[in-house]
C-alpha cells in the first residue's frame, strides 16, 4: 500500500498568471543550531556578587532558536478555481511538470467569491484516474510507434537485401521451372532466356 501523500496548508500568493497552476506559500518552524540564545535561570539573576556567582554560570540554559520560515510551492490547480488570498490544503503528487509537484485538495478559507460559486476541485481519486488513463494512452502510443518502426526497419532491410540466393536460383526440369521452392509450368523457353 502506498504511503499517504504529504499534506500541507498554505496561502495562495499568486493565481491567474499561469495556466492551471498557482503559487502557495507554506509556513514551517526551522531550527537554527548556530544562533543560540543563552538565558540564565531566574534564580541566578538575583544572586549576590559572591563566589557563588561563578557557580551560577553552570545554571545557564541554552534555548535553541526556532524561526518561522516560508516556503513557496507551485501547485497544480486543474480547474483554475483558486484566487490569491485563499487558504488551501495541498498534497504531494507525481510531478505534473518540472516544478509542479503538489495539487490542491480543498479550499479551507476562500478569499473573494465563495467556494461554491467556483469550479469544483477534483478529488485525489479523480486525479489518479486521469493520470492512469493518460499513462495507459501514452504507453499504447509508444508500443504502436515501436511496432511501426520495427516493421519499417524490417521492410528497409528486405529492400536492401533483395531476393535471397534460394529465390534467385531457377532450374528447368522437364518443362517445370522451380523458383525458390515453387514449381511453375514453362510452356516454351527461348534460347536467349537461358
Amino acid at each position: 500500500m502506498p504511503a499517504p501523500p504529504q499534506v500541507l496548508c498554505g496561502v495562495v500568493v499568486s493565481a491567474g498568471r499561469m495556466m492551471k497552476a498557482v503559487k502557495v506559500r507554506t509556513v514551517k518552524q526551522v531550527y537554527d543550531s548556530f544562533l543560540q540564545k543563552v538565558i540564565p535561570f531566574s534564580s541566578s539573576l538575583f544572586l549576590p556578587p559572591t563566589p557563588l556567582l561563578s557557580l551560577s554560570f553552570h545554571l545557564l540554559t541554552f534555548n535553541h532558536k526556532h524561526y518561522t520560515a516560508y516556503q513557496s510551492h507551485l501547485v497544480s490547480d486543474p480547474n483554475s478555481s483558486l484566487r490569491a488570498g485563499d487558504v488551501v490544503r495541498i498534497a504531494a503528487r507525481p510531478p505534473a511538470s518540472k516544478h509542479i509537484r503538489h495539487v490542491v485538495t480543498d479550499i479551507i478559507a476562500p478569499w473573494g467569491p465563495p467556494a461554491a460559486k467556483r469550479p469544483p476541485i477534483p478529488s485525489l481519486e479523480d486525479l489518479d484516474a486521469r493520470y492512469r488513463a493518460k499513462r495507459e494512452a501514452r504507453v499504447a502510443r509508444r508500443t504502436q510507434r515501436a511496432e511501426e518502426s520495427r516493421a519499417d526497419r524490417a521492410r528497409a532491410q528486405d529492400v536492401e537485401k533483395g531476393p535471397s540466393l534460394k529465390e534467385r536460383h531457377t532450374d528447368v526440369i522437364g518443362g517445370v521451372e522451380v523458383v525458390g521452392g515453387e514449381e511453375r509450368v514453362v510452356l516454351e523457353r527461348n534460347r536467349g532466356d537461358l
Side-chain angles (χ1 to χ4, degrees), residues 51-119:
L52 289 176
L53 188 58
S54 61
L55 270 177
S56 67
F57 178 75
H58 298 290
L59 300 175
L60 297 176
T61 60
F62 288 93
N63 275 350
H64 299 288
K65 293 285 279 191
H66 285 78
Y67 294 95
T68 302
Y70 299 98
Q71 189 172 9
S72 294
H73 302 279
L74 285 179
V75 178
S76 174
D77 180 17
N79 295 339
S80 299
S81 54
L82 297 179
R83 308 288 179 265
D86 290 345
V87 179
V88 295
R89 186 173 288 122
I90 60 175
R93 305 298 298 156
S97 70
K98 185 176 179 182
H99 299 289
I100 299 176
R101 298 176 184 279
H102 293 81
V103 71
V104 177
T105 56
D106 62 332
I107 300 174
I108 297 171
W111 180 266
K117 293 185 178 180
R118 300 181 190 182

Side-chain angles (χ1 to χ4, degrees), residues 8-12 24-27 86-90 108:
L8 302 169
C9 291
V11 178
V12 178
V24 175
R25 180 173 289 159
T26 58
V27 179
D86 290 345
V87 179
V88 295
R89 186 173 288 122
I90 60 175
I108 297 171

